[in-house]
Amino acid sequence: QSVLTQPPSASGTPGQRVTISCSGSTPNIGRNSVSWFHQLPGTAPKLLIYRNNQRPAGVPDRFSGSKSGTSASLAISGLQSEDESDYYCATWDGSLNVVVFGGGTKLTVL
Amino acid sequence: EVQLVESGGDLVQPGGSLRLSCAASGYTFSTYWMDWVRQAPGKGLEWVANIKEDGSEKNYVDSVKGRFTISRDNAKKSLYLQMNDLRAEDTAVYFCARDLMGASCHWGQGILVTVSS
């Protein structure tokens, strides 16, 4: 069972806006920045969002992150078929002194 | 171009040992924290360990404490994970990553470790 809770699945149709939640607690999300990664099957994860809402170079502005209290969210607007992937949130947990990941959310574009 | 290339993965018996390496290129290796993250077959990502730029600070997930040791050689631009007393539940693809929680995050392609008799 993951320290960070994500829905196991999410779906949307092309053009829609989808959000993926990541719920934690004070020692992790409550006190530290959240990163989001996406991963296609058989490939390495890639950074999508860092420091809660910052996009690295090359990530489209369709992807946005936010954080409030002990929860974070990833929003994908203008959904495209190539967005079909697994998405993970992660942050540092100052109580456990480890990086914690969410269990992952499989996004399906219908 | 930043590159992280893992090596050393293999099939090993329970109780055995293995040393993973991660060769870095395309950037100044000594200026970033480095992490190991693993992914069991069909499962999610699990953080394993990280090490500070100069090797002076290391952190581990509880399940590997006392069995795994993370280290680095900045002169050789390499990160290592010494894995002892391997268990079936250590079977996974192991990724090395630079600046895992930062803007310069970059992952290697991963290497498979299988623990089985």
Side-chain angles (χ1 to χ4, degrees), chain A residues 75-89:
Chain A
I76 309 170
S77 60
L79 201 60
Q80 300 179 5
S81 57
E82 56 259 38
D83 298 332
E84 199 163 272
S85 182
D86 292 327
Y87 291 84
Y88 296 90
C89 59

Side-chain angles (χ1 to χ4, degrees), chain A residues 28-98:
Chain A
N28 43 71
I29 293 180
R31 294 195 181 124
N32 298 285
S33 297
V34 176
S35 291
W36 289 89
F37 304 92
H38 71 127
Q39 183 184 33
L40 293 170
T43 69
K46 290 183 180 178
L47 178 66
L48 262 183
I49 298 287
Y50 67 98
R51 224 167 284 155
N52 304 323
N53 55 19
Q54 301 299 301
R55 281 187 308 277
V59 173
D61 58 7
R62 302 187 296 106
F63 294 88
S64 62
S66 63
K67 184 184 111 168
S68 178
T70 59
S71 292
S73 290
L74 173 71
I76 309 170
S77 60
L79 201 60
Q80 300 179 5
S81 57
E82 56 259 38
D83 298 332
E84 199 163 272
S85 182
D86 292 327
Y87 291 84
Y88 296 90
C89 59
T91 187
W92 178 256
D93 188 299
S95 175
L96 301 172
N97 281 334
V98 299

Side-chain angles (χ1 to χ4, degrees), chain A residues 33-35 37 39 43-47 50 56 88 90-92 97-99 101 103, chain B residues 35 37 39 43-47 50 59-61 95 100-103 105 107-109:
Chain A
S33 297
V34 176
S35 291
F37 304 92
Q39 183 184 33
T43 69
K46 290 183 180 178
L47 178 66
Y50 67 98
Y88 296 90
T91 187
W92 178 256
N97 281 334
V98 299
V99 172
F101 280 93
Chain B
D35 293 67
V37 178
Q39 187 169 36
K43 302 295 185 182
L45 300 172
E46 180 187 31
W47 179 82
N50 67 5
N59 298 288
Y60 299 91
V61 68
F95 299 96
L100 182 62
M101 300 304 299
C105 176
W107 295 65
Q109 85 286 351

Side-chain angles (χ1 to χ4, degrees), chain B residues 14 25-27 46-47 53 56 69 73 85-86 100 104-105 108 113:
Chain B
S25 60
Y27 74 100
E46 180 187 31
W47 179 82
E53 296 96 327
S56 62
T69 302
D73 185 332
D85 189 24
L86 282 161
L100 182 62
S104 301
C105 176
V113 172

